[in-house]
PDB file of all heavy atoms in Angstrom:
ATOM      1  N   LYS A   1      -2.294 -16.084 -10.204  1.00  0.00           N
ATOM      2  CA  LYS A   1      -2.859 -14.996  -9.411  1.00  0.00           C
ATOM      3  C   LYS A   1      -2.018 -13.719  -9.483  1.00  0.00           C
ATOM      4  O   LYS A   1      -2.417 -12.683  -8.946  1.00  0.00           O
ATOM      5  CB  LYS A   1      -2.980 -15.418  -7.939  1.00  0.00           C
ATOM      6  CG  LYS A   1      -3.744 -16.715  -7.708  1.00  0.00           C
ATOM      7  CD  LYS A   1      -5.177 -16.639  -8.183  1.00  0.00           C
ATOM      8  CE  LYS A   1      -5.924 -17.930  -7.820  1.00  0.00           C
ATOM      9  NZ  LYS A   1      -7.313 -17.928  -8.332  1.00  0.00           N
ATOM     10  N   GLU A   2      -0.860 -13.785 -10.138  1.00  0.00           N
ATOM     11  CA  GLU A   2       0.060 -12.648 -10.152  1.00  0.00           C
ATOM     12  C   GLU A   2      -0.567 -11.399 -10.750  1.00  0.00           C
ATOM     13  O   GLU A   2      -0.252 -10.274 -10.353  1.00  0.00           O
ATOM     14  CB  GLU A   2       1.328 -13.013 -10.926  1.00  0.00           C
ATOM     15  CG  GLU A   2       2.529 -12.113 -10.676  1.00  0.00           C
ATOM     16  CD  GLU A   2       2.512 -10.856 -11.520  1.00  0.00           C
ATOM     17  OE1 GLU A   2       1.871 -10.865 -12.591  1.00  0.00           O
ATOM     18  OE2 GLU A   2       3.157  -9.863 -11.118  1.00  0.00           O
ATOM     19  N   CYS A   3      -1.464 -11.565 -11.689  1.00  0.00           N
ATOM     20  CA  CYS A   3      -2.067 -10.415 -12.370  1.00  0.00           C
ATOM     21  C   CYS A   3      -3.132  -9.714 -11.531  1.00  0.00           C
ATOM     22  O   CYS A   3      -3.584  -8.618 -11.882  1.00  0.00           O
ATOM     23  CB  CYS A   3      -2.668 -10.856 -13.700  1.00  0.00           C
ATOM     24  SG  CYS A   3      -4.029 -12.042 -13.528  1.00  0.00           S
ATOM     25  N   MET A   4      -3.533 -10.312 -10.417  1.00  0.00           N
ATOM     26  CA  MET A   4      -4.632  -9.747  -9.627  1.00  0.00           C
ATOM     27  C   MET A   4      -4.171  -8.512  -8.867  1.00  0.00           C
ATOM     28  O   MET A   4      -3.056  -8.450  -8.343  1.00  0.00           O
ATOM     29  CB  MET A   4      -5.188 -10.792  -8.650  1.00  0.00           C
ATOM     30  CG  MET A   4      -5.775 -12.003  -9.334  1.00  0.00           C
ATOM     31  SD  MET A   4      -6.416 -13.229  -8.168  1.00  0.00           S
ATOM     32  CE  MET A   4      -7.861 -12.380  -7.557  1.00  0.00           C
ATOM     33  N   HIS A   5      -5.041  -7.505  -8.796  1.00  0.00           N
ATOM     34  CA  HIS A   5      -4.745  -6.290  -8.056  1.00  0.00           C
ATOM     35  C   HIS A   5      -4.562  -6.622  -6.583  1.00  0.00           C
ATOM     36  O   HIS A   5      -5.180  -7.547  -6.052  1.00  0.00           O
ATOM     37  CB  HIS A   5      -5.891  -5.290  -8.226  1.00  0.00           C
ATOM     38  CG  HIS A   5      -5.635  -3.968  -7.595  1.00  0.00           C
ATOM     39  ND1 HIS A   5      -4.637  -3.122  -8.025  1.00  0.00           N
ATOM     40  CD2 HIS A   5      -6.219  -3.353  -6.539  1.00  0.00           C
ATOM     41  CE1 HIS A   5      -4.639  -2.033  -7.276  1.00  0.00           C
ATOM     42  NE2 HIS A   5      -5.585  -2.145  -6.361  1.00  0.00           N
ATOM     43  N   ALA A   6      -3.666  -5.870  -5.909  1.00  0.00           N
ATOM     44  CA  ALA A   6      -3.349  -6.154  -4.515  1.00  0.00           C
ATOM     45  C   ALA A   6      -3.147  -4.851  -3.750  1.00  0.00           C
ATOM     46  O   ALA A   6      -3.012  -3.779  -4.333  1.00  0.00           O
ATOM     47  CB  ALA A   6      -2.092  -7.025  -4.425  1.00  0.00           C
ATOM     48  N   CYS A   7      -3.113  -4.967  -2.421  1.00  0.00           N
ATOM     49  CA  CYS A   7      -3.047  -3.778  -1.569  1.00  0.00           C
ATOM     50  C   CYS A   7      -1.763  -2.981  -1.765  1.00  0.00           C
ATOM     51  O   CYS A   7      -1.780  -1.749  -1.697  1.00  0.00           O
ATOM     52  CB  CYS A   7      -3.202  -4.173  -0.103  1.00  0.00           C
ATOM     53  SG  CYS A   7      -4.923  -4.547   0.349  1.00  0.00           S
ATOM     54  N   ARG A   8      -0.649  -3.645  -1.978  1.00  0.00           N
ATOM     55  CA  ARG A   8       0.588  -2.888  -2.187  1.00  0.00           C
ATOM     56  C   ARG A   8       0.479  -2.013  -3.434  1.00  0.00           C
ATOM     57  O   ARG A   8       1.020  -0.899  -3.465  1.00  0.00           O
ATOM     58  CB  ARG A   8       1.804  -3.814  -2.276  1.00  0.00           C
ATOM     59  CG  ARG A   8       2.281  -4.286  -0.916  1.00  0.00           C
ATOM     60  CD  ARG A   8       3.626  -4.977  -0.992  1.00  0.00           C
ATOM     61  NE  ARG A   8       4.706  -4.070  -1.356  1.00  0.00           N
ATOM     62  CZ  ARG A   8       5.396  -3.335  -0.490  1.00  0.00           C
ATOM     63  NH1 ARG A   8       5.095  -3.376   0.801  1.00  0.00           N
ATOM     64  NH2 ARG A   8       6.376  -2.556  -0.898  1.00  0.00           N
ATOM     65  N   ASP A   9      -0.220  -2.481  -4.463  1.00  0.00           N
ATOM     66  CA  ASP A   9      -0.458  -1.643  -5.643  1.00  0.00           C
ATOM     67  C   ASP A   9      -1.243  -0.388  -5.245  1.00  0.00           C
ATOM     68  O   ASP A   9      -0.929   0.720  -5.685  1.00  0.00           O
ATOM     69  CB  ASP A   9      -1.252  -2.418  -6.707  1.00  0.00           C
ATOM     70  CG  ASP A   9      -0.525  -3.644  -7.211  1.00  0.00           C
ATOM     71  OD1 ASP A   9       0.710  -3.591  -7.341  1.00  0.00           O
ATOM     72  OD2 ASP A   9      -1.194  -4.658  -7.462  1.00  0.00           O
ATOM     73  N   SER A  10      -2.274  -0.582  -4.426  1.00  0.00           N
ATOM     74  CA  SER A  10      -3.094   0.554  -3.999  1.00  0.00           C
ATOM     75  C   SER A  10      -2.302   1.519  -3.129  1.00  0.00           C
ATOM     76  O   SER A  10      -2.449   2.743  -3.253  1.00  0.00           O
ATOM     77  CB  SER A  10      -4.327   0.060  -3.231  1.00  0.00           C
ATOM     78  OG  SER A  10      -5.220  -0.614  -4.100  1.00  0.00           O
ATOM     79  N   PHE A  11      -1.476   0.984  -2.236  1.00  0.00           N
ATOM     80  CA  PHE A  11      -0.638   1.859  -1.414  1.00  0.00           C
ATOM     81  C   PHE A  11       0.280   2.713  -2.286  1.00  0.00           C
ATOM     82  O   PHE A  11       0.462   3.913  -2.043  1.00  0.00           O
ATOM     83  CB  PHE A  11       0.203   1.029  -0.437  1.00  0.00           C
ATOM     84  CG  PHE A  11      -0.539   0.541   0.776  1.00  0.00           C
ATOM     85  CD1 PHE A  11      -0.175  -0.649   1.396  1.00  0.00           C
ATOM     86  CD2 PHE A  11      -1.591   1.263   1.325  1.00  0.00           C
ATOM     87  CE1 PHE A  11      -0.834  -1.104   2.525  1.00  0.00           C
ATOM     88  CE2 PHE A  11      -2.272   0.816   2.458  1.00  0.00           C
ATOM     89  CZ  PHE A  11      -1.875  -0.372   3.061  1.00  0.00           C
ATOM     90  N   ILE A  12       0.874   2.105  -3.297  1.00  0.00           N
ATOM     91  CA  ILE A  12       1.764   2.848  -4.191  1.00  0.00           C
ATOM     92  C   ILE A  12       1.000   3.930  -4.937  1.00  0.00           C
ATOM     93  O   ILE A  12       1.454   5.072  -5.058  1.00  0.00           O
ATOM     94  CB  ILE A  12       2.468   1.885  -5.165  1.00  0.00           C
ATOM     95  CG1 ILE A  12       3.460   1.003  -4.391  1.00  0.00           C
ATOM     96  CG2 ILE A  12       3.190   2.653  -6.278  1.00  0.00           C
ATOM     97  CD1 ILE A  12       4.001  -0.150  -5.190  1.00  0.00           C
ATOM     98  N   ARG A  13      -0.205   3.609  -5.404  1.00  0.00           N
ATOM     99  CA  ARG A  13      -1.018   4.604  -6.111  1.00  0.00           C
ATOM    100  C   ARG A  13      -1.417   5.739  -5.165  1.00  0.00           C
ATOM    101  O   ARG A  13      -1.417   6.912  -5.554  1.00  0.00           O
ATOM    102  CB  ARG A  13      -2.271   3.943  -6.695  1.00  0.00           C
ATOM    103  CG  ARG A  13      -1.992   3.038  -7.866  1.00  0.00           C
ATOM    104  CD  ARG A  13      -1.518   3.826  -9.108  1.00  0.00           C
ATOM    105  NE  ARG A  13      -2.585   4.686  -9.601  1.00  0.00           N
ATOM    106  CZ  ARG A  13      -2.534   6.012  -9.596  1.00  0.00           C
ATOM    107  NH1 ARG A  13      -1.498   6.653  -9.096  1.00  0.00           N
ATOM    108  NH2 ARG A  13      -3.547   6.712 -10.067  1.00  0.00           N
ATOM    109  N   GLY A  14      -1.753   5.406  -3.920  1.00  0.00           N
ATOM    110  CA  GLY A  14      -2.095   6.441  -2.952  1.00  0.00           C
ATOM    111  C   GLY A  14      -0.914   7.337  -2.638  1.00  0.00           C
ATOM    112  O   GLY A  14      -1.060   8.561  -2.519  1.00  0.00           O
ATOM    113  N   ALA A  15       0.271   6.740  -2.504  1.00  0.00           N
ATOM    114  CA  ALA A  15       1.475   7.529  -2.253  1.00  0.00           C
ATOM    115  C   ALA A  15       1.765   8.464  -3.422  1.00  0.00           C
ATOM    116  O   ALA A  15       2.172   9.617  -3.226  1.00  0.00           O
ATOM    117  CB  ALA A  15       2.662   6.603  -2.001  1.00  0.00           C
ATOM    118  N   GLN A  16       1.533   7.995  -4.636  1.00  0.00           N
ATOM    119  CA  GLN A  16       1.725   8.849  -5.810  1.00  0.00           C
ATOM    120  C   GLN A  16       0.739  10.011  -5.802  1.00  0.00           C
ATOM    121  O   GLN A  16       1.088  11.145  -6.141  1.00  0.00           O
ATOM    122  CB  GLN A  16       1.552   8.023  -7.085  1.00  0.00           C
ATOM    123  CG  GLN A  16       2.664   7.017  -7.324  1.00  0.00           C
ATOM    124  CD  GLN A  16       2.355   6.052  -8.460  1.00  0.00           C
ATOM    125  OE1 GLN A  16       1.184   5.797  -8.779  1.00  0.00           O
ATOM    126  NE2 GLN A  16       3.388   5.508  -9.067  1.00  0.00           N
ATOM    127  N   GLU A  17      -0.489   9.750  -5.387  1.00  0.00           N
ATOM    128  CA  GLU A  17      -1.502  10.802  -5.321  1.00  0.00           C
ATOM    129  C   GLU A  17      -1.139  11.836  -4.259  1.00  0.00           C
ATOM    130  O   GLU A  17      -1.410  13.032  -4.413  1.00  0.00           O
ATOM    131  CB  GLU A  17      -2.857  10.177  -5.002  1.00  0.00           C
ATOM    132  CG  GLU A  17      -4.017  11.155  -4.997  1.00  0.00           C
ATOM    133  CD  GLU A  17      -5.341  10.460  -4.740  1.00  0.00           C
ATOM    134  OE1 GLU A  17      -5.660   9.507  -5.476  1.00  0.00           O
ATOM    135  OE2 GLU A  17      -6.035  10.862  -3.804  1.00  0.00           O
ATOM    136  N   TRP A  18      -0.482  11.388  -3.180  1.00  0.00           N
ATOM    137  CA  TRP A  18      -0.060  12.272  -2.119  1.00  0.00           C
ATOM    138  C   TRP A  18       1.072  13.187  -2.594  1.00  0.00           C
ATOM    139  O   TRP A  18       1.310  14.251  -2.043  1.00  0.00           O
ATOM    140  CB  TRP A  18       0.374  11.433  -0.925  1.00  0.00           C
ATOM    141  CG  TRP A  18       0.655  12.170   0.336  1.00  0.00           C
ATOM    142  CD1 TRP A  18       0.361  13.475   0.635  1.00  0.00           C
ATOM    143  CD2 TRP A  18       1.301  11.643   1.490  1.00  0.00           C
ATOM    144  NE1 TRP A  18       0.785  13.784   1.907  1.00  0.00           N
ATOM    145  CE2 TRP A  18       1.367  12.669   2.458  1.00  0.00           C
ATOM    146  CE3 TRP A  18       1.825  10.385   1.809  1.00  0.00           C
ATOM    147  CZ2 TRP A  18       1.936  12.484   3.700  1.00  0.00           C
ATOM    148  CZ3 TRP A  18       2.381  10.199   3.048  1.00  0.00           C
ATOM    149  CH2 TRP A  18       2.439  11.234   3.986  1.00  0.00           C
ATOM    150  N   LYS A  19       1.797  12.745  -3.602  1.00  0.00           N
ATOM    151  CA  LYS A  19       2.851  13.545  -4.254  1.00  0.00           C
ATOM    152  C   LYS A  19       4.014  13.869  -3.331  1.00  0.00           C
ATOM    153  O   LYS A  19       4.528  14.975  -3.293  1.00  0.00           O
ATOM    154  CB  LYS A  19       2.266  14.836  -4.844  1.00  0.00           C
ATOM    155  CG  LYS A  19       1.239  14.589  -5.940  1.00  0.00           C
ATOM    156  CD  LYS A  19       0.687  15.875  -6.508  1.00  0.00           C
ATOM    157  CE  LYS A  19      -0.352  15.584  -7.584  1.00  0.00           C
ATOM    158  NZ  LYS A  19      -0.967  16.816  -8.126  1.00  0.00           N
ATOM    159  N   ILE A  20       4.422  12.864  -2.564  1.00  0.00           N
ATOM    160  CA  ILE A  20       5.684  12.975  -1.849  1.00  0.00           C
ATOM    161  C   ILE A  20       6.530  11.765  -2.222  1.00  0.00           C
ATOM    162  O   ILE A  20       6.015  10.781  -2.756  1.00  0.00           O
ATOM    163  CB  ILE A  20       5.501  13.032  -0.322  1.00  0.00           C
ATOM    164  CG1 ILE A  20       4.958  11.691   0.199  1.00  0.00           C
ATOM    165  CG2 ILE A  20       4.630  14.178   0.100  1.00  0.00           C
ATOM    166  CD1 ILE A  20       5.150  11.532   1.676  1.00  0.00           C
ATOM    167  N   GLU A  21       7.805  11.857  -1.964  1.00  0.00           N
ATOM    168  CA  GLU A  21       8.700  10.768  -2.327  1.00  0.00           C
ATOM    169  C   GLU A  21       8.729   9.722  -1.225  1.00  0.00           C
ATOM    170  O   GLU A  21       9.216   9.974  -0.127  1.00  0.00           O
ATOM    171  CB  GLU A  21      10.108  11.298  -2.601  1.00  0.00           C
ATOM    172  CG  GLU A  21      10.201  12.169  -3.850  1.00  0.00           C
ATOM    173  CD  GLU A  21      11.629  12.531  -4.180  1.00  0.00           C
ATOM    174  OE1 GLU A  21      12.545  11.965  -3.557  1.00  0.00           O
ATOM    175  OE2 GLU A  21      11.829  13.385  -5.061  1.00  0.00           O
ATOM    176  N   LEU A  22       8.177   8.552  -1.530  1.00  0.00           N
ATOM    177  CA  LEU A  22       8.234   7.421  -0.619  1.00  0.00           C
ATOM    178  C   LEU A  22       8.964   6.282  -1.315  1.00  0.00           C
ATOM    179  O   LEU A  22       8.787   6.064  -2.511  1.00  0.00           O
ATOM    180  CB  LEU A  22       6.837   6.948  -0.226  1.00  0.00           C
ATOM    181  CG  LEU A  22       5.973   7.889   0.611  1.00  0.00           C
ATOM    182  CD1 LEU A  22       4.609   7.247   0.854  1.00  0.00           C
ATOM    183  CD2 LEU A  22       6.632   8.199   1.935  1.00  0.00           C
ATOM    184  N   SER A  23       9.771   5.563  -0.565  1.00  0.00           N
ATOM    185  CA  SER A  23      10.445   4.390  -1.108  1.00  0.00           C
ATOM    186  C   SER A  23       9.696   3.135  -0.674  1.00  0.00           C
ATOM    187  O   SER A  23       8.734   3.203   0.100  1.00  0.00           O
ATOM    188  CB  SER A  23      11.895   4.336  -0.619  1.00  0.00           C
ATOM    189  OG  SER A  23      11.925   4.107   0.780  1.00  0.00           O
ATOM    190  N   LYS A  24      10.138   1.977  -1.139  1.00  0.00           N
ATOM    191  CA  LYS A  24       9.490   0.730  -0.764  1.00  0.00           C
ATOM    192  C   LYS A  24       9.510   0.509   0.747  1.00  0.00           C
ATOM    193  O   LYS A  24       8.582  -0.066   1.304  1.00  0.00           O
ATOM    194  CB  LYS A  24      10.167  -0.445  -1.475  1.00  0.00           C
ATOM    195  CG  LYS A  24       9.886  -0.515  -2.963  1.00  0.00           C
ATOM    196  CD  LYS A  24      10.531  -1.746  -3.578  1.00  0.00           C
ATOM    197  CE  LYS A  24      10.226  -1.848  -5.054  1.00  0.00           C
ATOM    198  NZ  LYS A  24      10.858  -3.049  -5.671  1.00  0.00           N
ATOM    199  N   ARG A  25      10.569   0.990   1.414  1.00  0.00           N
ATOM    200  CA  ARG A  25      10.656   0.779   2.857  1.00  0.00           C
ATOM    201  C   ARG A  25       9.592   1.562   3.614  1.00  0.00           C
ATOM    202  O   ARG A  25       9.265   1.231   4.754  1.00  0.00           O
ATOM    203  CB  ARG A  25      12.049   1.155   3.371  1.00  0.00           C
ATOM    204  CG  ARG A  25      12.377   2.623   3.271  1.00  0.00           C
ATOM    205  CD  ARG A  25      13.719   2.937   3.930  1.00  0.00           C
ATOM    206  NE  ARG A  25      13.636   2.713   5.350  1.00  0.00           N
ATOM    207  CZ  ARG A  25      14.667   2.889   6.193  1.00  0.00           C
ATOM    208  NH1 ARG A  25      15.828   3.269   5.719  1.00  0.00           N
ATOM    209  NH2 ARG A  25      14.514   2.691   7.486  1.00  0.00           N
ATOM    210  N   ASP A  26       9.022   2.588   2.979  1.00  0.00           N
ATOM    211  CA  ASP A  26       7.989   3.387   3.633  1.00  0.00           C
ATOM    212  C   ASP A  26       6.607   2.729   3.553  1.00  0.00           C
ATOM    213  O   ASP A  26       5.691   3.131   4.248  1.00  0.00           O
ATOM    214  CB  ASP A  26       7.931   4.785   3.016  1.00  0.00           C
ATOM    215  CG  ASP A  26       9.233   5.540   3.227  1.00  0.00           C
ATOM    216  OD1 ASP A  26       9.687   5.620   4.380  1.00  0.00           O
ATOM    217  OD2 ASP A  26       9.815   6.022   2.241  1.00  0.00           O
ATOM    218  N   ILE A  27       6.456   1.737   2.663  1.00  0.00           N
ATOM    219  CA  ILE A  27       5.223   0.946   2.629  1.00  0.00           C
ATOM    220  C   ILE A  27       5.458  -0.227   3.575  1.00  0.00           C
ATOM    221  O   ILE A  27       5.781  -1.339   3.175  1.00  0.00           O
ATOM    222  CB  ILE A  27       4.883   0.470   1.199  1.00  0.00           C
ATOM    223  CG1 ILE A  27       4.898   1.644   0.230  1.00  0.00           C
ATOM    224  CG2 ILE A  27       3.532  -0.232   1.178  1.00  0.00           C
ATOM    225  CD1 ILE A  27       3.859   2.704   0.499  1.00  0.00           C
ATOM    226  N   ALA A  28       5.328   0.059   4.858  1.00  0.00           N
ATOM    227  CA  ALA A  28       5.727  -0.897   5.899  1.00  0.00           C
ATOM    228  C   ALA A  28       4.542  -1.771   6.313  1.00  0.00           C
ATOM    229  O   ALA A  28       3.456  -1.691   5.739  1.00  0.00           O
ATOM    230  CB  ALA A  28       6.275  -0.126   7.093  1.00  0.00           C
ATOM    231  N   CYS A  29       4.764  -2.590   7.332  1.00  0.00           N
ATOM    232  CA  CYS A  29       3.707  -3.463   7.850  1.00  0.00           C
ATOM    233  C   CYS A  29       2.546  -2.600   8.353  1.00  0.00           C
ATOM    234  O   CYS A  29       2.740  -1.675   9.143  1.00  0.00           O
ATOM    235  CB  CYS A  29       4.255  -4.333   8.969  1.00  0.00           C
ATOM    236  SG  CYS A  29       3.119  -5.608   9.520  1.00  0.00           S
ATOM    237  N   ASN A  30       1.366  -2.889   7.901  1.00  0.00           N
ATOM    238  CA  ASN A  30       0.196  -2.033   8.094  1.00  0.00           C
ATOM    239  C   ASN A  30      -0.789  -2.621   9.100  1.00  0.00           C
ATOM    240  O   ASN A  30      -0.645  -3.752   9.558  1.00  0.00           O
ATOM    241  CB  ASN A  30      -0.520  -1.839   6.751  1.00  0.00           C
ATOM    242  CG  ASN A  30      -0.935  -3.169   6.156  1.00  0.00           C
ATOM    243  OD1 ASN A  30      -0.108  -3.884   5.593  1.00  0.00           O
ATOM    244  ND2 ASN A  30      -2.207  -3.521   6.271  1.00  0.00           N
ATOM    245  N   ILE A  31      -1.800  -1.821   9.398  1.00  0.00           N
ATOM    246  CA  ILE A  31      -2.946  -2.300  10.182  1.00  0.00           C
ATOM    247  C   ILE A  31      -3.983  -2.858   9.207  1.00  0.00           C
ATOM    248  O   ILE A  31      -4.239  -2.278   8.154  1.00  0.00           O
ATOM    249  CB  ILE A  31      -3.579  -1.153  10.980  1.00  0.00           C
ATOM    250  CG1 ILE A  31      -2.565  -0.510  11.919  1.00  0.00           C
ATOM    251  CG2 ILE A  31      -4.801  -1.658  11.768  1.00  0.00           C
ATOM    252  CD1 ILE A  31      -3.036   0.812  12.504  1.00  0.00           C
ATOM    253  N   ASN A  32      -4.584  -3.982   9.579  1.00  0.00           N
ATOM    254  CA  ASN A  32      -5.714  -4.524   8.823  1.00  0.00           C
ATOM    255  C   ASN A  32      -6.972  -4.380   9.675  1.00  0.00           C
ATOM    256  O   ASN A  32      -7.314  -5.274  10.460  1.00  0.00           O
ATOM    257  CB  ASN A  32      -5.472  -5.997   8.470  1.00  0.00           C
ATOM    258  CG  ASN A  32      -4.321  -6.175   7.505  1.00  0.00           C
ATOM    259  OD1 ASN A  32      -4.266  -5.546   6.459  1.00  0.00           O
ATOM    260  ND2 ASN A  32      -3.379  -7.035   7.860  1.00  0.00           N
ATOM    261  N   PHE A  33      -7.621  -3.230   9.533  1.00  0.00           N
ATOM    262  CA  PHE A  33      -8.849  -3.036  10.297  1.00  0.00           C
ATOM    263  C   PHE A  33      -9.919  -4.018   9.833  1.00  0.00           C
ATOM    264  O   PHE A  33     -10.095  -4.247   8.637  1.00  0.00           O
ATOM    265  CB  PHE A  33      -9.341  -1.600  10.162  1.00  0.00           C
ATOM    266  CG  PHE A  33      -8.532  -0.600  10.942  1.00  0.00           C
ATOM    267  CD1 PHE A  33      -7.789   0.374  10.287  1.00  0.00           C
ATOM    268  CD2 PHE A  33      -8.492  -0.648  12.335  1.00  0.00           C
ATOM    269  CE1 PHE A  33      -7.035   1.295  11.005  1.00  0.00           C
ATOM    270  CE2 PHE A  33      -7.740   0.269  13.062  1.00  0.00           C
ATOM    271  CZ  PHE A  33      -7.011   1.241  12.394  1.00  0.00           C
ATOM    272  N   PHE A  34     -10.634  -4.610  10.793  1.00  0.00           N
ATOM    273  CA  PHE A  34     -11.735  -5.570  10.602  1.00  0.00           C
ATOM    274  C   PHE A  34     -11.250  -6.964  10.174  1.00  0.00           C
ATOM    275  O   PHE A  34     -12.072  -7.849   9.969  1.00  0.00           O
ATOM    276  CB  PHE A  34     -12.772  -5.064   9.576  1.00  0.00           C
ATOM    277  CG  PHE A  34     -13.241  -3.667   9.822  1.00  0.00           C
ATOM    278  CD1 PHE A  34     -12.997  -2.660   8.901  1.00  0.00           C
ATOM    279  CD2 PHE A  34     -13.912  -3.338  10.988  1.00  0.00           C
ATOM    280  CE1 PHE A  34     -13.412  -1.355   9.118  1.00  0.00           C
ATOM    281  CE2 PHE A  34     -14.332  -2.033  11.230  1.00  0.00           C
ATOM    282  CZ  PHE A  34     -14.082  -1.035  10.285  1.00  0.00           C
ATOM    283  N   MET A  35      -9.952  -7.166  10.041  1.00  0.00           N
ATOM    284  CA  MET A  35      -9.447  -8.458   9.547  1.00  0.00           C
ATOM    285  C   MET A  35      -9.104  -9.374  10.711  1.00  0.00           C
ATOM    286  O   MET A  35      -8.572  -8.940  11.730  1.00  0.00           O
ATOM    287  CB  MET A  35      -8.219  -8.217   8.672  1.00  0.00           C
ATOM    288  CG  MET A  35      -7.741  -9.421   7.891  1.00  0.00           C
ATOM    289  SD  MET A  35      -6.590  -8.858   6.617  1.00  0.00           S
ATOM    290  CE  MET A  35      -5.714 -10.368   6.288  1.00  0.00           C
ATOM    291  N   ASN A  36      -9.394 -10.658  10.552  1.00  0.00           N
ATOM    292  CA  ASN A  36      -9.207 -11.657  11.597  1.00  0.00           C
ATOM    293  C   ASN A  36      -8.043 -12.578  11.217  1.00  0.00           C
ATOM    294  O   ASN A  36      -8.180 -13.425  10.336  1.00  0.00           O
ATOM    295  CB  ASN A  36     -10.504 -12.464  11.780  1.00  0.00           C
ATOM    296  CG  ASN A  36     -10.401 -13.477  12.900  1.00  0.00           C
ATOM    297  OD1 ASN A  36      -9.612 -13.324  13.829  1.00  0.00           O
ATOM    298  ND2 ASN A  36     -11.216 -14.521  12.824  1.00  0.00           N
ATOM    299  N   VAL A  37      -6.907 -12.383  11.884  1.00  0.00           N
ATOM    300  CA  VAL A  37      -5.715 -13.203  11.603  1.00  0.00           C
ATOM    301  C   VAL A  37      -5.203 -13.769  12.934  1.00  0.00           C
ATOM    302  O   VAL A  37      -4.276 -13.216  13.537  1.00  0.00           O
ATOM    303  CB  VAL A  37      -4.611 -12.388  10.900  1.00  0.00           C
ATOM    304  CG1 VAL A  37      -3.442 -13.300  10.497  1.00  0.00           C
ATOM    305  CG2 VAL A  37      -5.160 -11.680   9.669  1.00  0.00           C
TER     306      VAL A  37
END
């Protein structure tokens, strides 16, 4: 399953699109809207 796209990949791509410098620590624990855990 390692090759499958995941949310952290999308967060990194979004941060790149935002064009500011974010480190891994800035991709912190997120909200999962509509998710049941």
